[in-house]
Each structure stands twice: as C-alpha cells, then as structure tokens.
Amino acid sequence: MAHDIDWASQGGEPESSDSMKTFGGFVQGLREHTGLSREEFGSLVHLSKHSVESIELGRRLADQRFVDLAEGALGDTGALRRAFRHMARQPGLASWFRMWARLEVQAVSLGTYECRLVPGLLQPEAYARAVFGNSIPPLSDEQVEAQVTARMDRQRMLRERPNTSFSFVVDEHIVRRRLGGTDIARSLLDHMLAYAQLRNVEIQIMPLDCAAHAGLDGPLALLETPDGRYLAYSEGQKTGRLIVDAKEAAVLHRRYATLRAQALSPLDSVGLLERIRGAL
C-alpha cells in the first residue's frame, strides 16, 4: 500500500534544495544500477512511481521510513542512510531539528508543549527576531535572516494544511513575558489569538496557579504519521532527540494528554490571552 502525501493539496511540494537533488540523484543511480523501474521500486518502498520520481528529482523530502525501505530494496549497502544524514530541506533549521521538520510535513496531527518560549509555529516575525536576537553567541544579520525566514516558512503549515490538527499547550508565564518589549508582546498575543480562531488549531494555557503539572520534565513535541505511528521529539540546549521507540513515545503522548486535561480549555485560554492583551 502506498503512503503518499498529496503535495498539491498542501500548497505545493516543499522547496527543493541542492542536498535534496543530490540525494535524489543518488537514489536514482542506485535504482537504475539495480535494474528496477520507478514503478517496481515504488512497490517496494510503498510509494507511487510519481512520488519516486519526485524524490529522485529533488522535489520531495524523503523520510526515514523511505530510507529504510529503499536500503532493503537496493542491497542494504548503508549508502543511502549515510547520504540521508547530510540532506537538509533549507538553511536556518538546526541540524538536530531537520529530521523532525521532515516528519512534520507529513503528520496528520501535531502537539506541542512549551515552558521556555512561545512555540515556533505560533511566533510572529517580530517575536522570532527577538528570540534569535537573544542568541549567545550573537548571530550575524545573515544568520538571523535565515533563521527567521525558515521559521516563517515552516509556520505556513497551520493555514495551508486545514485537515491537520495542531495542538499547543503553553505555560502562562511565557505569554506574560514581554520579550522584545511591549509592542512585540502585543503583536505576539494578536498573532496567537488569530491562530486560535482556526478550526484546526487549539491553544491551551497552563495557568500559573495550577496545583498539578505533567510537563515538569520539559518541552515536548508529538506527532501522528499517516500510517498511524506515534513519534515524539525532545529538545534541549543545542541538541534534540527524535523518539521513535513505540513504548517511550506512548509515555510522552500520555503525558501530553494529561497536560491538556490540566490546562485551561481552548475557550478559557483565549479569554486569558485577551485579558493579558487588554492590560498591555
């Protein structure tokens, strides 16, 4: 069974890059050396021949599942796995985050808990600039622009994928912090309130006076793949970890479900955000 993503319905295929084209050419070379047509190879990696063509031409992001199946179909040399580690969708994304970003574009649901700063998918441009402007060591102007551009591009998912569910749980102190100043704080709250009106987006605030909190171990990012797998991602200082083990991911998904039950409801959260905005 093919597990394809309909890129046309998602606003077009993702932006190509030199590394995607190089990886695609590598796949094509190995496939042709093995003597497989695109259709034959597609049946082995659960993709249509058109999706195989998109990967080979660098128009579609491959994921870990494709790499694992392709290795088996092309001789288990390990060459594709090594090449895949060097593939990036775009500049501006941290190296440890790129794998998760590849998975995000195919997910049917995503959940995010944050206790440090507003999640990147909810940040307006001015707030994102303030975030990157606080980096230590300082970033150059070119580095800041690359980071902001990547973040704004990634954020388009919320509007371009109306059939994907996005859930956010954010600690209250984050939205009360005036990072970058009062004007940026206002733009942040307006931005979050606008996204909260979308049917596929739920924003919940974990109140300061909560007596129980299931997120004390830190931020969480969760997703469900089109074939029903549950994955998780944990990020810390200059590092991140993709969690694919089913048992470990299940624990984190249960933890996130508890967080959602402990947080204010989406409606009450919007009310709180409006009150904070009105006081600025």
PDB file of all heavy atoms in Angstrom, residues 142-178:
ATOM      1  N   GLU A 142      22.909  38.028   8.687  1.00  0.00           N
ATOM      2  CA  GLU A 142      22.553  36.998   7.706  1.00  0.00           C
ATOM      3  C   GLU A 142      22.013  35.747   8.398  1.00  0.00           C
ATOM      4  O   GLU A 142      21.054  35.118   7.912  1.00  0.00           O
ATOM      5  CB  GLU A 142      23.776  36.638   6.859  1.00  0.00           C
ATOM      6  CG  GLU A 142      24.249  37.740   5.928  1.00  0.00           C
ATOM      7  CD  GLU A 142      25.030  38.833   6.647  1.00  0.00           C
ATOM      8  OE1 GLU A 142      25.416  38.620   7.829  1.00  0.00           O
ATOM      9  OE2 GLU A 142      25.250  39.895   6.036  1.00  0.00           O
ATOM     10  N   GLN A 143      22.606  35.382   9.512  1.00  0.00           N
ATOM     11  CA  GLN A 143      22.130  34.209  10.253  1.00  0.00           C
ATOM     12  C   GLN A 143      20.739  34.437  10.829  1.00  0.00           C
ATOM     13  O   GLN A 143      19.890  33.548  10.795  1.00  0.00           O
ATOM     14  CB  GLN A 143      23.126  33.865  11.364  1.00  0.00           C
ATOM     15  CG  GLN A 143      24.431  33.280  10.866  1.00  0.00           C
ATOM     16  CD  GLN A 143      25.452  33.125  11.971  1.00  0.00           C
ATOM     17  OE1 GLN A 143      25.602  33.999  12.831  1.00  0.00           O
ATOM     18  NE2 GLN A 143      26.174  32.004  11.971  1.00  0.00           N
ATOM     19  N   VAL A 144      20.500  35.636  11.349  1.00  0.00           N
ATOM     20  CA  VAL A 144      19.165  35.955  11.882  1.00  0.00           C
ATOM     21  C   VAL A 144      18.129  35.868  10.771  1.00  0.00           C
ATOM     22  O   VAL A 144      17.040  35.290  10.949  1.00  0.00           O
ATOM     23  CB  VAL A 144      19.150  37.351  12.532  1.00  0.00           C
ATOM     24  CG1 VAL A 144      17.717  37.781  12.852  1.00  0.00           C
ATOM     25  CG2 VAL A 144      19.985  37.358  13.812  1.00  0.00           C
ATOM     26  N   GLU A 145      18.449  36.441   9.600  1.00  0.00           N
ATOM     27  CA  GLU A 145      17.505  36.413   8.482  1.00  0.00           C
ATOM     28  C   GLU A 145      17.197  34.982   8.062  1.00  0.00           C
ATOM     29  O   GLU A 145      16.039  34.638   7.778  1.00  0.00           O
ATOM     30  CB  GLU A 145      18.064  37.206   7.306  1.00  0.00           C
ATOM     31  CG  GLU A 145      18.076  38.708   7.504  1.00  0.00           C
ATOM     32  CD  GLU A 145      16.697  39.254   7.832  1.00  0.00           C
ATOM     33  OE1 GLU A 145      15.713  38.851   7.163  1.00  0.00           O
ATOM     34  OE2 GLU A 145      16.594  40.067   8.755  1.00  0.00           O
ATOM     35  N   ALA A 146      18.220  34.134   8.011  1.00  0.00           N
ATOM     36  CA  ALA A 146      17.996  32.732   7.625  1.00  0.00           C
ATOM     37  C   ALA A 146      17.109  32.027   8.636  1.00  0.00           C
ATOM     38  O   ALA A 146      16.203  31.261   8.261  1.00  0.00           O
ATOM     39  CB  ALA A 146      19.338  32.003   7.499  1.00  0.00           C
ATOM     40  N   GLN A 147      17.340  32.273   9.922  1.00  0.00           N
ATOM     41  CA  GLN A 147      16.531  31.641  10.972  1.00  0.00           C
ATOM     42  C   GLN A 147      15.085  32.108  10.904  1.00  0.00           C
ATOM     43  O   GLN A 147      14.150  31.306  10.994  1.00  0.00           O
ATOM     44  CB  GLN A 147      17.123  31.981  12.343  1.00  0.00           C
ATOM     45  CG  GLN A 147      18.531  31.468  12.583  1.00  0.00           C
ATOM     46  CD  GLN A 147      18.546  30.028  13.078  1.00  0.00           C
ATOM     47  OE1 GLN A 147      17.590  29.288  12.911  1.00  0.00           O
ATOM     48  NE2 GLN A 147      19.645  29.638  13.688  1.00  0.00           N
ATOM     49  N   VAL A 148      14.891  33.423  10.771  1.00  0.00           N
ATOM     50  CA  VAL A 148      13.531  33.968  10.730  1.00  0.00           C
ATOM     51  C   VAL A 148      12.791  33.469   9.494  1.00  0.00           C
ATOM     52  O   VAL A 148      11.616  33.076   9.562  1.00  0.00           O
ATOM     53  CB  VAL A 148      13.561  35.507  10.771  1.00  0.00           C
ATOM     54  CG1 VAL A 148      12.165  36.083  10.514  1.00  0.00           C
ATOM     55  CG2 VAL A 148      14.081  35.995  12.121  1.00  0.00           C
ATOM     56  N   THR A 149      13.464  33.474   8.349  1.00  0.00           N
ATOM     57  CA  THR A 149      12.836  33.005   7.113  1.00  0.00           C
ATOM     58  C   THR A 149      12.395  31.552   7.238  1.00  0.00           C
ATOM     59  O   THR A 149      11.277  31.186   6.836  1.00  0.00           O
ATOM     60  CB  THR A 149      13.811  33.160   5.931  1.00  0.00           C
ATOM     61  OG1 THR A 149      14.116  34.543   5.751  1.00  0.00           O
ATOM     62  CG2 THR A 149      13.200  32.616   4.647  1.00  0.00           C
ATOM     63  N   ALA A 150      13.265  30.698   7.790  1.00  0.00           N
ATOM     64  CA  ALA A 150      12.915  29.288   7.963  1.00  0.00           C
ATOM     65  C   ALA A 150      11.728  29.136   8.901  1.00  0.00           C
ATOM     66  O   ALA A 150      10.837  28.316   8.658  1.00  0.00           O
ATOM     67  CB  ALA A 150      14.120  28.522   8.508  1.00  0.00           C
ATOM     68  N   ARG A 151      11.701  29.915   9.962  1.00  0.00           N
ATOM     69  CA  ARG A 151      10.599  29.803  10.926  1.00  0.00           C
ATOM     70  C   ARG A 151       9.281  30.252  10.320  1.00  0.00           C
ATOM     71  O   ARG A 151       8.238  29.614  10.516  1.00  0.00           O
ATOM     72  CB  ARG A 151      10.924  30.621  12.177  1.00  0.00           C
ATOM     73  CG  ARG A 151       9.873  30.523  13.272  1.00  0.00           C
ATOM     74  CD  ARG A 151      10.468  30.699  14.639  1.00  0.00           C
ATOM     75  NE  ARG A 151      11.391  29.610  14.953  1.00  0.00           N
ATOM     76  CZ  ARG A 151      12.061  29.514  16.094  1.00  0.00           C
ATOM     77  NH1 ARG A 151      11.922  30.436  17.036  1.00  0.00           N
ATOM     78  NH2 ARG A 151      12.875  28.499  16.312  1.00  0.00           N
ATOM     79  N   MET A 152       9.283  31.351   9.588  1.00  0.00           N
ATOM     80  CA  MET A 152       8.052  31.835   8.978  1.00  0.00           C
ATOM     81  C   MET A 152       7.559  30.869   7.894  1.00  0.00           C
ATOM     82  O   MET A 152       6.359  30.642   7.732  1.00  0.00           O
ATOM     83  CB  MET A 152       8.271  33.227   8.384  1.00  0.00           C
ATOM     84  CG  MET A 152       8.570  34.332   9.404  1.00  0.00           C
ATOM     85  SD  MET A 152       7.266  34.546  10.665  1.00  0.00           S
ATOM     86  CE  MET A 152       7.980  33.658  12.062  1.00  0.00           C
ATOM     87  N   ASP A 153       8.497  30.279   7.146  1.00  0.00           N
ATOM     88  CA  ASP A 153       8.122  29.316   6.114  1.00  0.00           C
ATOM     89  C   ASP A 153       7.484  28.083   6.732  1.00  0.00           C
ATOM     90  O   ASP A 153       6.464  27.578   6.248  1.00  0.00           O
ATOM     91  CB  ASP A 153       9.355  28.931   5.298  1.00  0.00           C
ATOM     92  CG  ASP A 153       9.029  27.928   4.202  1.00  0.00           C
ATOM     93  OD1 ASP A 153       8.297  28.282   3.272  1.00  0.00           O
ATOM     94  OD2 ASP A 153       9.505  26.783   4.294  1.00  0.00           O
ATOM     95  N   ARG A 154       8.074  27.598   7.812  1.00  0.00           N
ATOM     96  CA  ARG A 154       7.535  26.413   8.490  1.00  0.00           C
ATOM     97  C   ARG A 154       6.146  26.697   9.046  1.00  0.00           C
ATOM     98  O   ARG A 154       5.264  25.832   9.053  1.00  0.00           O
ATOM     99  CB  ARG A 154       8.502  26.016   9.607  1.00  0.00           C
ATOM    100  CG  ARG A 154       8.061  24.860  10.462  1.00  0.00           C
ATOM    101  CD  ARG A 154       9.173  24.406  11.396  1.00  0.00           C
ATOM    102  NE  ARG A 154       8.639  23.598  12.472  1.00  0.00           N
ATOM    103  CZ  ARG A 154       8.469  24.038  13.711  1.00  0.00           C
ATOM    104  NH1 ARG A 154       8.832  25.257  14.041  1.00  0.00           N
ATOM    105  NH2 ARG A 154       7.954  23.230  14.626  1.00  0.00           N
ATOM    106  N   GLN A 155       5.925  27.924   9.495  1.00  0.00           N
ATOM    107  CA  GLN A 155       4.658  28.295  10.129  1.00  0.00           C
ATOM    108  C   GLN A 155       3.480  28.266   9.167  1.00  0.00           C
ATOM    109  O   GLN A 155       2.324  28.169   9.592  1.00  0.00           O
ATOM    110  CB  GLN A 155       4.813  29.691  10.730  1.00  0.00           C
ATOM    111  CG  GLN A 155       3.733  30.103  11.695  1.00  0.00           C
ATOM    112  CD  GLN A 155       4.057  31.439  12.337  1.00  0.00           C
ATOM    113  OE1 GLN A 155       3.379  32.420  12.077  1.00  0.00           O
ATOM    114  NE2 GLN A 155       5.086  31.495  13.154  1.00  0.00           N
ATOM    115  N   ARG A 156       3.756  28.309   7.870  1.00  0.00           N
ATOM    116  CA  ARG A 156       2.676  28.297   6.889  1.00  0.00           C
ATOM    117  C   ARG A 156       1.837  27.027   6.970  1.00  0.00           C
ATOM    118  O   ARG A 156       0.703  26.990   6.478  1.00  0.00           O
ATOM    119  CB  ARG A 156       3.263  28.441   5.491  1.00  0.00           C
ATOM    120  CG  ARG A 156       3.829  29.827   5.189  1.00  0.00           C
ATOM    121  CD  ARG A 156       4.760  29.827   3.993  1.00  0.00           C
ATOM    122  NE  ARG A 156       4.182  29.146   2.839  1.00  0.00           N
ATOM    123  CZ  ARG A 156       4.879  28.751   1.789  1.00  0.00           C
ATOM    124  NH1 ARG A 156       6.175  28.945   1.741  1.00  0.00           N
ATOM    125  NH2 ARG A 156       4.281  28.142   0.791  1.00  0.00           N
ATOM    126  N   MET A 157       2.370  25.992   7.607  1.00  0.00           N
ATOM    127  CA  MET A 157       1.631  24.726   7.722  1.00  0.00           C
ATOM    128  C   MET A 157       0.259  24.918   8.354  1.00  0.00           C
ATOM    129  O   MET A 157      -0.702  24.247   7.992  1.00  0.00           O
ATOM    130  CB  MET A 157       2.410  23.727   8.584  1.00  0.00           C
ATOM    131  CG  MET A 157       3.623  23.126   7.946  1.00  0.00           C
ATOM    132  SD  MET A 157       4.211  21.705   8.917  1.00  0.00           S
ATOM    133  CE  MET A 157       4.613  22.485  10.478  1.00  0.00           C
ATOM    134  N   LEU A 158       0.167  25.819   9.326  1.00  0.00           N
ATOM    135  CA  LEU A 158      -1.074  25.946  10.073  1.00  0.00           C
ATOM    136  C   LEU A 158      -2.241  26.354   9.187  1.00  0.00           C
ATOM    137  O   LEU A 158      -3.377  25.892   9.381  1.00  0.00           O
ATOM    138  CB  LEU A 158      -0.913  26.957  11.220  1.00  0.00           C
ATOM    139  CG  LEU A 158      -0.336  26.399  12.519  1.00  0.00           C
ATOM    140  CD1 LEU A 158       1.138  26.059  12.372  1.00  0.00           C
ATOM    141  CD2 LEU A 158      -0.512  27.387  13.671  1.00  0.00           C
ATOM    142  N   ARG A 159      -1.971  27.213   8.212  1.00  0.00           N
ATOM    143  CA  ARG A 159      -3.035  27.656   7.312  1.00  0.00           C
ATOM    144  C   ARG A 159      -3.141  26.819   6.039  1.00  0.00           C
ATOM    145  O   ARG A 159      -4.216  26.711   5.464  1.00  0.00           O
ATOM    146  CB  ARG A 159      -2.832  29.133   6.941  1.00  0.00           C
ATOM    147  CG  ARG A 159      -3.002  30.078   8.139  1.00  0.00           C
ATOM    148  CD  ARG A 159      -2.985  31.531   7.712  1.00  0.00           C
ATOM    149  NE  ARG A 159      -3.110  32.428   8.832  1.00  0.00           N
ATOM    150  CZ  ARG A 159      -4.272  32.788   9.395  1.00  0.00           C
ATOM    151  NH1 ARG A 159      -5.408  32.312   8.914  1.00  0.00           N
ATOM    152  NH2 ARG A 159      -4.286  33.619  10.414  1.00  0.00           N
ATOM    153  N   GLU A 160      -2.025  26.253   5.619  1.00  0.00           N
ATOM    154  CA  GLU A 160      -2.027  25.513   4.354  1.00  0.00           C
ATOM    155  C   GLU A 160      -2.468  24.065   4.513  1.00  0.00           C
ATOM    156  O   GLU A 160      -2.683  23.375   3.521  1.00  0.00           O
ATOM    157  CB  GLU A 160      -0.637  25.564   3.713  1.00  0.00           C
ATOM    158  CG  GLU A 160      -0.245  26.962   3.244  1.00  0.00           C
ATOM    159  CD  GLU A 160       1.118  26.994   2.589  1.00  0.00           C
ATOM    160  OE1 GLU A 160       1.825  25.957   2.652  1.00  0.00           O
ATOM    161  OE2 GLU A 160       1.478  28.037   2.018  1.00  0.00           O
ATOM    162  N   ARG A 161      -2.578  23.599   5.763  1.00  0.00           N
ATOM    163  CA  ARG A 161      -2.966  22.206   5.992  1.00  0.00           C
ATOM    164  C   ARG A 161      -4.185  22.160   6.923  1.00  0.00           C
ATOM    165  O   ARG A 161      -4.088  21.770   8.086  1.00  0.00           O
ATOM    166  CB  ARG A 161      -1.792  21.431   6.586  1.00  0.00           C
ATOM    167  CG  ARG A 161      -0.571  21.413   5.664  1.00  0.00           C
ATOM    168  CD  ARG A 161       0.581  20.655   6.266  1.00  0.00           C
ATOM    169  NE  ARG A 161       0.202  19.292   6.582  1.00  0.00           N
ATOM    170  CZ  ARG A 161       0.925  18.473   7.339  1.00  0.00           C
ATOM    171  NH1 ARG A 161       2.054  18.882   7.869  1.00  0.00           N
ATOM    172  NH2 ARG A 161       0.517  17.243   7.584  1.00  0.00           N
ATOM    173  N   PRO A 162      -5.356  22.561   6.426  1.00  0.00           N
ATOM    174  CA  PRO A 162      -6.552  22.649   7.274  1.00  0.00           C
ATOM    175  C   PRO A 162      -7.047  21.308   7.788  1.00  0.00           C
ATOM    176  O   PRO A 162      -7.829  21.268   8.747  1.00  0.00           O
ATOM    177  CB  PRO A 162      -7.596  23.307   6.350  1.00  0.00           C
ATOM    178  CG  PRO A 162      -7.132  22.962   4.971  1.00  0.00           C
ATOM    179  CD  PRO A 162      -5.635  22.976   5.040  1.00  0.00           C
ATOM    180  N   ASN A 163      -6.598  20.201   7.193  1.00  0.00           N
ATOM    181  CA  ASN A 163      -7.031  18.881   7.650  1.00  0.00           C
ATOM    182  C   ASN A 163      -6.069  18.264   8.658  1.00  0.00           C
ATOM    183  O   ASN A 163      -6.281  17.139   9.115  1.00  0.00           O
ATOM    184  CB  ASN A 163      -7.201  17.934   6.469  1.00  0.00           C
ATOM    185  CG  ASN A 163      -8.254  18.407   5.478  1.00  0.00           C
ATOM    186  OD1 ASN A 163      -7.957  18.647   4.325  1.00  0.00           O
ATOM    187  ND2 ASN A 163      -9.474  18.572   5.939  1.00  0.00           N
ATOM    188  N   THR A 164      -5.020  18.993   9.009  1.00  0.00           N
ATOM    189  CA  THR A 164      -4.085  18.545  10.041  1.00  0.00           C
ATOM    190  C   THR A 164      -4.416  19.240  11.349  1.00  0.00           C
ATOM    191  O   THR A 164      -4.632  20.452  11.374  1.00  0.00           O
ATOM    192  CB  THR A 164      -2.635  18.868   9.639  1.00  0.00           C
ATOM    193  OG1 THR A 164      -2.324  18.180   8.431  1.00  0.00           O
ATOM    194  CG2 THR A 164      -1.652  18.441  10.724  1.00  0.00           C
ATOM    195  N   SER A 165      -4.466  18.491  12.443  1.00  0.00           N
ATOM    196  CA  SER A 165      -4.780  19.057  13.756  1.00  0.00           C
ATOM    197  C   SER A 165      -3.500  19.522  14.451  1.00  0.00           C
ATOM    198  O   SER A 165      -2.527  18.765  14.552  1.00  0.00           O
ATOM    199  CB  SER A 165      -5.480  18.009  14.631  1.00  0.00           C
ATOM    200  OG  SER A 165      -6.697  17.604  14.047  1.00  0.00           O
ATOM    201  N   PHE A 166      -3.517  20.759  14.931  1.00  0.00           N
ATOM    202  CA  PHE A 166      -2.387  21.327  15.662  1.00  0.00           C
ATOM    203  C   PHE A 166      -2.852  21.680  17.076  1.00  0.00           C
ATOM    204  O   PHE A 166      -3.834  22.400  17.247  1.00  0.00           O
ATOM    205  CB  PHE A 166      -1.862  22.586  14.981  1.00  0.00           C
ATOM    206  CG  PHE A 166      -1.291  22.362  13.611  1.00  0.00           C
ATOM    207  CD1 PHE A 166      -2.113  22.398  12.488  1.00  0.00           C
ATOM    208  CD2 PHE A 166       0.062  22.101  13.440  1.00  0.00           C
ATOM    209  CE1 PHE A 166      -1.589  22.193  11.223  1.00  0.00           C
ATOM    210  CE2 PHE A 166       0.587  21.894  12.172  1.00  0.00           C
ATOM    211  CZ  PHE A 166      -0.238  21.936  11.060  1.00  0.00           C
ATOM    212  N   SER A 167      -2.150  21.174  18.061  1.00  0.00           N
ATOM    213  CA  SER A 167      -2.482  21.440  19.457  1.00  0.00           C
ATOM    214  C   SER A 167      -1.258  22.030  20.150  1.00  0.00           C
ATOM    215  O   SER A 167      -0.134  21.569  19.935  1.00  0.00           O
ATOM    216  CB  SER A 167      -2.907  20.144  20.160  1.00  0.00           C
ATOM    217  OG  SER A 167      -2.932  20.313  21.565  1.00  0.00           O
ATOM    218  N   PHE A 168      -1.485  23.052  20.982  1.00  0.00           N
ATOM    219  CA  PHE A 168      -0.401  23.691  21.716  1.00  0.00           C
ATOM    220  C   PHE A 168      -0.804  23.862  23.178  1.00  0.00           C
ATOM    221  O   PHE A 168      -1.923  24.303  23.462  1.00  0.00           O
ATOM    222  CB  PHE A 168      -0.083  25.072  21.138  1.00  0.00           C
ATOM    223  CG  PHE A 168       0.311  25.063  19.690  1.00  0.00           C
ATOM    224  CD1 PHE A 168      -0.647  25.207  18.695  1.00  0.00           C
ATOM    225  CD2 PHE A 168       1.635  24.904  19.315  1.00  0.00           C
ATOM    226  CE1 PHE A 168      -0.295  25.202  17.352  1.00  0.00           C
ATOM    227  CE2 PHE A 168       1.994  24.888  17.972  1.00  0.00           C
ATOM    228  CZ  PHE A 168       1.028  25.037  16.990  1.00  0.00           C
ATOM    229  N   VAL A 169       0.092  23.505  24.074  1.00  0.00           N
ATOM    230  CA  VAL A 169      -0.060  23.811  25.494  1.00  0.00           C
ATOM    231  C   VAL A 169       1.139  24.675  25.878  1.00  0.00           C
ATOM    232  O   VAL A 169       2.293  24.278  25.677  1.00  0.00           O
ATOM    233  CB  VAL A 169      -0.105  22.541  26.366  1.00  0.00           C
ATOM    234  CG1 VAL A 169      -0.193  22.922  27.846  1.00  0.00           C
ATOM    235  CG2 VAL A 169      -1.287  21.655  25.971  1.00  0.00           C
ATOM    236  N   VAL A 170       0.864  25.866  26.412  1.00  0.00           N
ATOM    237  CA  VAL A 170       1.916  26.848  26.693  1.00  0.00           C
ATOM    238  C   VAL A 170       1.769  27.338  28.127  1.00  0.00           C
ATOM    239  O   VAL A 170       0.659  27.692  28.556  1.00  0.00           O
ATOM    240  CB  VAL A 170       1.821  28.040  25.709  1.00  0.00           C
ATOM    241  CG1 VAL A 170       2.921  29.059  25.993  1.00  0.00           C
ATOM    242  CG2 VAL A 170       1.889  27.558  24.264  1.00  0.00           C
ATOM    243  N   ASP A 171       2.865  27.378  28.858  1.00  0.00           N
ATOM    244  CA  ASP A 171       2.823  27.898  30.224  1.00  0.00           C
ATOM    245  C   ASP A 171       2.492  29.389  30.221  1.00  0.00           C
ATOM    246  O   ASP A 171       2.986  30.152  29.377  1.00  0.00           O
ATOM    247  CB  ASP A 171       4.159  27.668  30.931  1.00  0.00           C
ATOM    248  CG  ASP A 171       4.288  26.269  31.502  1.00  0.00           C
ATOM    249  OD1 ASP A 171       3.286  25.530  31.493  1.00  0.00           O
ATOM    250  OD2 ASP A 171       5.386  25.906  31.964  1.00  0.00           O
ATOM    251  N   GLU A 172       1.685  29.809  31.189  1.00  0.00           N
ATOM    252  CA  GLU A 172       1.191  31.182  31.236  1.00  0.00           C
ATOM    253  C   GLU A 172       2.322  32.211  31.324  1.00  0.00           C
ATOM    254  O   GLU A 172       2.235  33.303  30.739  1.00  0.00           O
ATOM    255  CB  GLU A 172       0.247  31.350  32.427  1.00  0.00           C
ATOM    256  CG  GLU A 172      -0.360  32.736  32.540  1.00  0.00           C
ATOM    257  CD  GLU A 172      -1.298  32.890  33.726  1.00  0.00           C
ATOM    258  OE1 GLU A 172      -1.741  31.858  34.281  1.00  0.00           O
ATOM    259  OE2 GLU A 172      -1.591  34.048  34.099  1.00  0.00           O
ATOM    260  N   HIS A 173       3.371  31.888  32.066  1.00  0.00           N
ATOM    261  CA  HIS A 173       4.432  32.892  32.235  1.00  0.00           C
ATOM    262  C   HIS A 173       5.065  33.282  30.915  1.00  0.00           C
ATOM    263  O   HIS A 173       5.587  34.400  30.769  1.00  0.00           O
ATOM    264  CB  HIS A 173       5.502  32.371  33.215  1.00  0.00           C
ATOM    265  CG  HIS A 173       6.327  31.241  32.695  1.00  0.00           C
ATOM    266  ND1 HIS A 173       7.459  31.430  31.933  1.00  0.00           N
ATOM    267  CD2 HIS A 173       6.185  29.893  32.809  1.00  0.00           C
ATOM    268  CE1 HIS A 173       7.983  30.263  31.614  1.00  0.00           C
ATOM    269  NE2 HIS A 173       7.235  29.305  32.121  1.00  0.00           N
ATOM    270  N   ILE A 174       5.011  32.400  29.916  1.00  0.00           N
ATOM    271  CA  ILE A 174       5.607  32.698  28.611  1.00  0.00           C
ATOM    272  C   ILE A 174       4.877  33.844  27.919  1.00  0.00           C
ATOM    273  O   ILE A 174       5.493  34.742  27.343  1.00  0.00           O
ATOM    274  CB  ILE A 174       5.597  31.446  27.716  1.00  0.00           C
ATOM    275  CG1 ILE A 174       6.501  30.361  28.292  1.00  0.00           C
ATOM    276  CG2 ILE A 174       6.014  31.792  26.293  1.00  0.00           C
ATOM    277  CD1 ILE A 174       6.407  29.055  27.549  1.00  0.00           C
ATOM    278  N   VAL A 175       3.548  33.811  27.965  1.00  0.00           N
ATOM    279  CA  VAL A 175       2.779  34.850  27.270  1.00  0.00           C
ATOM    280  C   VAL A 175       2.701  36.137  28.083  1.00  0.00           C
ATOM    281  O   VAL A 175       2.285  37.177  27.560  1.00  0.00           O
ATOM    282  CB  VAL A 175       1.359  34.343  26.916  1.00  0.00           C
ATOM    283  CG1 VAL A 175       1.444  33.231  25.897  1.00  0.00           C
ATOM    284  CG2 VAL A 175       0.600  33.875  28.151  1.00  0.00           C
ATOM    285  N   ARG A 176       3.090  36.083  29.327  1.00  0.00           N
ATOM    286  CA  ARG A 176       3.159  37.304  30.139  1.00  0.00           C
ATOM    287  C   ARG A 176       4.526  37.984  30.024  1.00  0.00           C
ATOM    288  O   ARG A 176       4.644  39.188  30.290  1.00  0.00           O
ATOM    289  CB  ARG A 176       2.855  36.996  31.607  1.00  0.00           C
ATOM    290  CG  ARG A 176       1.393  36.630  31.861  1.00  0.00           C
ATOM    291  CD  ARG A 176       1.079  36.605  33.341  1.00  0.00           C
ATOM    292  NE  ARG A 176      -0.331  36.321  33.592  1.00  0.00           N
ATOM    293  CZ  ARG A 176      -1.299  37.228  33.591  1.00  0.00           C
ATOM    294  NH1 ARG A 176      -1.014  38.513  33.339  1.00  0.00           N
ATOM    295  NH2 ARG A 176      -2.547  36.884  33.837  1.00  0.00           N
ATOM    296  N   ARG A 177       5.554  37.237  29.645  1.00  0.00           N
ATOM    297  CA  ARG A 177       6.886  37.822  29.485  1.00  0.00           C
ATOM    298  C   ARG A 177       6.891  38.757  28.282  1.00  0.00           C
ATOM    299  O   ARG A 177       6.453  38.388  27.197  1.00  0.00           O
ATOM    300  CB  ARG A 177       7.910  36.709  29.287  1.00  0.00           C
ATOM    301  CG  ARG A 177       9.337  37.218  29.115  1.00  0.00           C
ATOM    302  CD  ARG A 177      10.291  36.094  28.787  1.00  0.00           C
ATOM    303  NE  ARG A 177      10.372  35.141  29.888  1.00  0.00           N
ATOM    304  CZ  ARG A 177      10.383  33.828  29.738  1.00  0.00           C
ATOM    305  NH1 ARG A 177      10.270  33.310  28.516  1.00  0.00           N
ATOM    306  NH2 ARG A 177      10.480  33.027  30.770  1.00  0.00           N
ATOM    307  N   ARG A 178       7.417  39.947  28.460  1.00  0.00           N
ATOM    308  CA  ARG A 178       7.424  40.936  27.379  1.00  0.00           C
ATOM    309  C   ARG A 178       8.750  40.880  26.621  1.00  0.00           C
ATOM    310  O   ARG A 178       9.491  41.868  26.566  1.00  0.00           O
ATOM    311  CB  ARG A 178       7.152  42.328  27.934  1.00  0.00           C
ATOM    312  CG  ARG A 178       5.809  42.435  28.637  1.00  0.00           C
ATOM    313  CD  ARG A 178       5.482  43.848  29.047  1.00  0.00           C
ATOM    314  NE  ARG A 178       4.243  43.895  29.824  1.00  0.00           N
ATOM    315  CZ  ARG A 178       3.662  45.014  30.242  1.00  0.00           C
ATOM    316  NH1 ARG A 178       4.220  46.189  29.971  1.00  0.00           N
ATOM    317  NH2 ARG A 178       2.549  44.980  30.954  1.00  0.00           N
TER     318      ARG A 178
END
